[in-house]
Amino acid sequence: MPTYDEKLRALEEQFHRDDPGFAAAMADGTPRSPREYRRRNAWLCMAFGLTALGIGIGIGHGLLIATGLVVSGAAAHLFDPQRGRRHGKDIPNTPGNPRTD
């Protein structure tokens, strides 16, 4: 049975593999938000999409309206914090992930 320190070491190694920048920031004492909650690119895509949509509506250009809608929809998908997870990875009772109660 692993000791408390071994569990902490395993957790630290998992953090370092998942998000090295987050682990380094925690080690330095200047924590930053995990990768799942950094949404700068999502906001930039959303701003671009809504700008394209607004300009497209303003000048009445259908292709620009469609582009704005597609980019805005893709940007909305980027706001999902669990978008990077594989299908069924953390869902109980799925193949390859038995429930451990």
Side-chain angles (χ1 to χ4, degrees):
M1 179 175 214
T3 64
Y4 183 73
D5 289 335
E6 291 170 347
K7 289 179 184 178
L8 285 177
R9 175 65 65 190
L11 183 61
E12 181 182 356
E13 290 172 0
Q14 181 67 33
F15 272 136
H16 187 67
R17 280 192 303 272
D18 288 346
D19 194 354
F22 177 71
M26 288 299 288
D28 292 342
T30 56
R32 68 178 193 179
S33 60
R35 180 181 304 145
E36 292 86 15
Y37 299 105
R38 292 185 292 230
R39 298 190 175 117
R40 182 179 326 157
N41 291 339
W43 282 112
L44 290 173
C45 288
M46 182 66 78
F48 174 75
L50 292 176
T51 301
L53 178 64
I55 291 171
I57 290 172
I59 64 173
H61 194 273
L63 187 59
L64 195 54
I65 293 171
T67 301
L69 287 172
V70 169
V71 171
S72 297
H77 179 68
L78 293 175
F79 284 102
D80 183 14
Q82 297 183 7
R83 72 182 184 277
R85 293 190 180 179
R86 291 184 209 134
H87 297 289
K89 180 179 176 185
D90 294 321
I91 301 172
N93 295 329
T94 56
N97 189 19
R99 186 176 190 142
T100 57
D101 286 337

